Amino acid sequence: MDKKAINQARSLYYIFFAKMLDFSSSDEGYKDVETLLPIFLSNPLDEGSYEALGAIQEKIKTEGFSALRAEYDEVFVSPESSFIPLSASYYDEGRDDGQKRVKAAGLVLRSKFRRNKPLCNDSEDQMVFAFRLMSTLIESGIEGDEESLNLAHTFFAEILNECIDDFAELLFTHEKSVFYKNTAIVLKAFSDFERLYLDVAPSQKVASAHRVSAVIQTDRKPLSQRIRRNLDEIVL
């Protein structure tokens, strides 16, 4: 098993998810997406993710990244569409800034990387930040920092593992989701691979009534528009 090659691929997938789930006002902000798609298509995780990646690539070719920006608004910002929680705490407790954020922040403090608080509004358990952090930790591990790889393992097992399936399901079933429906297919295949590679069992957590209500209530509307994030503001 070529662990270095596998870790390089893992890092790239996390970057891909972070870029797809972040908002960029310019096409340049999505350059990594355009670069990574043919790489993933040449060696896909499975048939389903191959078809999903191909669909994303074709839609970008025909409609451009302006279509992705418009869909981001409809899926994550519009008060007229179903609400998708973006923090691990929300999936755990039905609210942001819960115990998952505390645990995630503690793991970040154990690493040699820090959130640039003046520039980055995302909390440590927000999906975009988590994906970016995972990529950074894995890259550091490739360079020989074994502790970073250990922290990436812990972060996936204790933060992402319990919420990533629910998150992918909400992306897949959202009524405005096209780009993100296909992103969810790839995310699910990748999270299954991560569990296999890291020897992490799927979460068996039984959802509380409060948590279920928060996650699956399709007509829930946010109280205000959520701020668009710029991934470049997340300094790790």
Side-chain angles (χ1 to χ4, degrees), residues 13-14 16-17 21 45 49 52 127 131 156 160 163-165 167-169 171 180-195:
Y13 268 104
Y14 279 116
F16 172 75
F17 297 130
L21 293 165
L45 292 165
S49 62
M127 294 297 176
F131 292 148
F156 179 85
L160 289 175
C163 66
I164 201 165
D165 290 338
F167 176 62
E169 178 67 16
L171 278 182
Y180 293 113
K181 181 185 292 288
N182 287 298
T183 301
I185 293 171
V186 182
L187 180 59
K188 183 62 171 68
F190 177 72
S191 61
D192 288 343
F193 169 81
E194 281 285 84
R195 291 182 177 116

Side-chain angles (χ1 to χ4, degrees), residues 14 17-19 21-23 72 76-77 83-92 94-108 115 120-135 155-156 158-161 163-164 167 171 187 225-231 234 236:
Y14 279 116
F17 297 130
K19 289 290 187 179
L21 293 165
D22 196 30
F23 179 86
Y72 179 94
F76 296 112
V77 179
F83 174 50
I84 298 183
L86 290 170
S87 73
S89 288
Y90 212 113
Y91 291 93
D92 186 49
R95 66 183 181 92
D96 290 327
D97 299 325
Q99 288 302 308
K100 289 297 182 183
R101 180 180 184 180
V102 174
K103 183 174 288 188
L107 292 172
V108 173
R115 178 167 67 96
C120 177
N121 292 317
D122 288 327
S123 61
E124 292 83 354
D125 68 334
Q126 290 278 328
M127 294 297 176
V128 171
F129 183 90
F131 292 148
R132 182 71 173 182
L133 175 65
M134 287 292 292
S135 178
F155 198 96
F156 179 85
E158 298 186 4
I159 307 299
L160 289 175
N161 185 47
C163 66
I164 201 165
F167 176 62
L171 278 182
L187 180 59
Q225 280 196 339
R226 288 176 287 282
I227 299 173
R228 293 189 179 108
R229 299 177 305 277
N230 185 337
L231 189 59
I234 302 176
L236 294 171

